[in-house]
Amino acid sequence: LLTEGLARLEPAALATLGILVLLATPPITLVWIGVSFAREGDRRFTGIVAGLLGLIVAGLLAALLAGAGQGSESLHPPSRLMQLGVLVAAAASGALGVQVGLGGAAFLVPILSGFFGVPMKLAIGAGAVSVVVNSLAGASSYLRDRIPNVRLGLILELPTLLGAVAGGLIVVAVAPSVLRGVFAVVLLGLAIRVVTRPRGGKVVREGSDPLGVAGKYHDLASGEDVTYVPQRLGLGAGAGIVGGVLSGMLGLAGGVIKMPVMHSIMSMPVKAAAATSVLMGGFTVSASAYMYYVHGIIDLSIAIPAVLGIQIGSRTGARMSRYLSDAVLERGLAVVLTGLCVVLVLPLPKRTA
């Protein structure tokens, strides 16, 4: 038991406690945001934050009511070389993920499963933990530059969290091969969407803004101030439910759906969409991550190097994104997603004992 291990100061128990504290950070941050809105007298967004906290609590209760499990997959203790490889792969995933708003897990999970032979559900568990780190580390850099649209993110997070709770229940029951196939389809669809996105649509600079979600930030790459008014909030909220289900099923931040929707459908600049997606990613995953834990889907031998790598990569990637153009980010995203889709659908070679 965790309590007995902590009493004996066992390293594994201490590491587990650290992971659980890490997963609790997004809800604590959400409380702080809610208090800030309350002090400003903003009842609308104080109520939205309260609703988000309620959904996170519902996810925790669902995990407890479902009962603990041992997990249907196991992993032989990885070598130091493999753990180093996971750390490097996680750093690269974090650097790319934070720049395009996908949280890093969209790249890390297929890399762990396709290149390192980590069972799919354990890869998803490691990806979920890394999402929280990626969100915290990447968002801190973005917030210094005032790029994320916090109010819009909170609105979109309501349906996303609802879907995440449902997805967390689904992942426990379905076969790993199903998860692998769903993940490949999601990556391919996202790559196609990025490539075929209509180029004629421009960012809406001004217009009706009844919910007060218009945004503004300074783009260091162009040296200009960028203003925009998000469009089609209803479609964005609907897509949030789909993103939440995929988040719960696949350990993603929901940015796989939210980021391209904010960019392509809601007419937001790529950087604003990515930064907002990264900021909210930790909130999304916190609704389902504890379900992974109680069902034995988080393996510390993989999750810990993944967390360290993501932390390094996300901070580096957030700094790099200031100087990269939107076009470069879009082309790089399409190429990487297509490659990882191929990795997932190719059969893994059988390992000999």
Side-chain angles (χ1 to χ4, degrees):
L1 293 176
L2 177 60
T3 53
E4 296 177 356
L6 291 174
R8 294 193 294 268
L9 298 179
E10 295 178 355
L14 294 174
T16 300
L17 178 62
I19 294 295
L20 293 177
V21 171
L22 177 68
L23 295 178
T25 304
I28 294 173
T29 303
L30 201 54
V31 170
W32 177 79
I33 293 175
V35 171
S36 298
F37 280 126
R39 288 178 176 176
E40 295 175 1
D42 192 329
R43 295 183 178 180
R44 174 186 294 168
F45 281 92
T46 301
I48 289 174
V49 170
L52 292 173
L53 290 171
L55 287 174
I56 293 176
V57 171
L60 295 176
L61 292 177
L64 294 174
L65 292 175
Q70 299 299 318
S72 59
E73 298 179 302
S74 61
L75 177 70
H76 291 296
S79 65
R80 297 297 183 188
L81 182 61
M82 178 178 174
Q83 289 181 319
L84 178 61
V86 170
L87 188 149
V88 173
S93 299
L96 181 58
V98 78
Q99 293 182 67
V100 296
L102 300 186
F107 311 108
L108 180 60
V109 172
I111 289 174
L112 290 178
S113 179
F115 290 102
F116 292 96
V118 176
M120 192 62 188
K121 290 190 178 182
L122 297 184
I124 288 173
V129 176
S130 72
V131 162
V132 177
V133 176
N134 196 54
S135 176
L136 295 175
S140 63
S141 296
Y142 280 134
L143 285 170
R144 282 195 295 270
D145 294 332
R146 300 182 180 274
I147 300 179
N149 191 323
V150 177
R151 292 174 183 269
L152 175 66
L154 291 174
I155 291 175
L156 296 181
E157 199 63 23
L158 279 170
T160 304
L161 275 179
L162 185 62
V165 173
L169 296 173
I170 293 173
V171 70
V172 177
V174 302
S177 58
V178 174
L179 296 173
R180 194 178 179 93
V182 171
F183 212 124
V185 170
V186 169
L187 293 180
L188 181 59
L190 182 54
I192 293 173
R193 178 58 183 167
V194 170
V195 172
T196 60
R197 183 181 67 86
R199 300 294 171 179
K202 294 184 180 295
V203 173
V204 178
R205 304 295 181 182
E206 57 184 17
S208 177
D209 183 27
L211 296 181
V213 294
K216 178 180 179 180
Y217 66 94
H218 181 73
D219 189 354
L220 292 177
S222 64
E224 299 176 350
D225 289 332
V226 179
T227 59
Y228 61 93
V229 180
Q231 305 294 301
R232 307 178 189 89
L233 267 64
L235 289 177
I241 297 178
V242 179
V245 172
L246 292 177
S247 171
M249 286 183 63
L250 307 176
L252 304 178
V256 168
I257 299 296
K258 286 191 296 184
M259 189 274 173
V261 166
M262 284 190 287
H263 176 40
S264 302
I265 296 177
M266 300 179 68
S267 301
M268 290 176 62
V270 168
K271 289 183 181 179
T276 303
S277 178
V278 168
L279 175 65
M280 309 315 295
F283 303 148
T284 302
V285 172
S286 63
S288 53
Y290 277 101
M291 298 182 188
Y292 299 162
Y293 170 72
V294 299
H295 286 279
I297 300 178
I298 296 178
D299 188 309
L300 294 179
S301 64
I302 294 297
I304 290 177
V307 164
L308 294 176
I310 284 285
Q311 187 170 23
I312 295 171
S314 58
R315 292 186 181 275
T316 303
R319 296 189 189 100
M320 290 170 56
S321 69
R322 304 173 187 173
Y323 307 101
L324 295 177
S325 68
D326 288 352
V328 171
L329 291 177
E330 289 177 350
R331 288 194 293 267
L333 174 61
V335 171
V336 173
L337 290 174
T338 302
L340 292 177
C341 175
V342 173
V343 168
L344 279 179
V345 298
L346 289 177
L348 285 175
K350 298 291 185 180
R351 291 188 175 185
T352 57

